Amino acid sequence: GAGVSQSPSNKVTEKGKDVELRCDPISGHTALYWYRQSLGQGLEFLIYFQGNSAPDKSGLPSDRFSAERTGGSVSTLTIQRTQQEDSAVYLCASSSLGSLDSPLHFGNGTRLTVT
Amino acid sequence: QKEVEQNSGPLSVPEGAIASLNCTYSDRGSQSFFWYRQYSGKSPELIMFIYSNGDKEDGRFTAQLNKASQYVSLLIRDSQPSDSATYLCAVTGTASKLTFGTGTRLQVTL
C-alpha cells in the first residue's frame, strides 16, 4: 500500500541545465496532477492527466516545461534550460476517478534549486 | 477573478476557540470541495471533503457548503496549537480538474 512516490527528493542544478522529475502514483489511480509551490506560496497547477484523455496542460508556465505519463502510470515532468525562477517544490498527486469524493494523495515533493 | 479565493491570513485564534476559515469559488458547476492542511515543509493532507449543501462534521472539524453563494468554510472547534498550519481549499470544477486556493495560515496561540 505505498503512497505517491516522487524522485529525487532534492535536486540542485545549474541554470541552463535540463531536469527530469519522476512521479509514481498510487496503483490504480487514473488521475495525476503536477503542482508547483514556491516558498510561502500556494499550489500552482501545472498539468493534469486523466485516464487516456489528452492532458490538461493549461498550467505549464512556458514551453520549457513538458510532462508525459507512460502506460497510464508513472509520470515525468521535464524542465529544459532551467532558470532560477523555476526553483520550487514540485508536488505530484494522484486520485481515483469515478466518484465525487476522490481526494488527492500527495507525494513528498521534489525540491528543485536552480543555481 | 481567481477560481478559488481564500484570505491568506494569518488568522490568529486562542487555544480552545473556534477557528473559521472561508473560501469562495467562481465555477458554479463545481461539484466537490476539499479542505487540506499543510504544515510548513510538508505536503498537503486531506482533512475533509463535502459535496452537498449544508454541514458535514468530523470530530472537531465541520465543513459548510453553500452552493448558491459559492462558498465553503471550515470550522475547527477547540483549536489546538497543533492545528497551526496553512489550510488549503480545493474545488473540483466542471472539467473535473482540482483547483486550489492560496491557503489561509492559521495560528493557534497559547
Side-chain angles (χ1 to χ4, degrees):
Chain A
V4 178
S5 178
Q6 290 188 246
S7 62
S9 55
N10 281 285
K11 177 70 176 179
V12 179
T13 190
E14 292 180 352
K15 177 181 173 182
K17 301 285 188 182
D18 298 351
V19 295
E20 281 190 356
L21 312 180
R22 177 189 167 103
C23 173
D24 200 342
I26 293 173
S27 178
H29 278 192
T30 54
L32 186 148
Y33 294 78
W34 282 98
Y35 293 92
R36 177 169 72 174
Q37 190 171 35
S38 301
L39 187 64
Q41 302 298 310
L43 292 173
E44 177 187 2
F45 166 76
L46 296 178
I47 188 168
Y48 165 48
F49 296 90
Q50 177 181 338
N52 295 321
S53 301
D56 179 345
K57 303 180 181 180
S58 60
L60 295 178
S62 77
D63 59 7
R64 297 186 295 105
F65 288 73
S66 63
E68 62 178 20
R69 189 178 186 191
T70 54
S73 181
V74 172
S75 177
T76 302
L77 176 69
T78 301
I79 309 173
Q80 296 179 309
R81 304 181 302 281
T82 52
Q83 304 294 311
Q84 287 185 332
E85 60 263 30
D86 299 335
S87 297
V89 175
Y90 288 80
L91 289 163
C92 175
S94 70
S95 74
S96 59
L97 291 179
S99 63
L100 292 176
D101 54 355
S102 301
L104 281 187
H105 298 264
F106 282 86
N108 290 328
T110 294
R111 182 176 299 278
L112 175 66
T113 303
V114 182
T115 61
Chain B
Q1 181 189 7
K2 291 183 180 179
E3 295 180 58
V4 181
E5 294 207 49
Q6 296 181 254
N7 188 314
S8 61
L11 173 66
S12 184
V13 299
E15 183 177 8
I18 296 175
S20 178
L21 304 160
N22 299 310
C23 171
T24 59
Y25 59 94
S26 60
D27 184 350
R28 282 199 169 274
S30 298
Q31 300 182 61
S32 303
F33 307 86
F34 303 85
W35 282 100
Y36 285 79
R37 177 176 62 199
Q38 187 176 27
Y39 292 111
S40 181
K42 301 294 185 181
S43 295
E45 55 181 336
L46 180 71
I47 299 176
M48 291 190 69
F49 63 86
I50 186 169
Y51 49 83
S52 300
N53 272 330
D55 295 0
K56 180 180 179 182
E57 187 175 319
D58 184 0
R60 294 188 296 112
F61 299 95
T62 299
Q64 298 174 319
L65 174 61
N66 183 322
K67 288 188 177 181
S69 300
Q70 294 176 244
Y71 83 77
V72 56
S73 61
L74 179 69
L75 300 179
I76 306 175
R77 289 181 299 282
D78 188 24
S79 295
Q80 301 297 308
S82 59
D83 295 327
S84 297
T86 296
Y87 289 80
L88 300 165
C89 172
V91 176
T92 302
T94 48
S96 298
K97 184 178 76 178
L98 191 65
T99 302
F100 282 83
T102 54
T104 298
R105 189 156 63 92
L106 173 66
Q107 293 178 336
V108 180
T109 57
L110 296 173

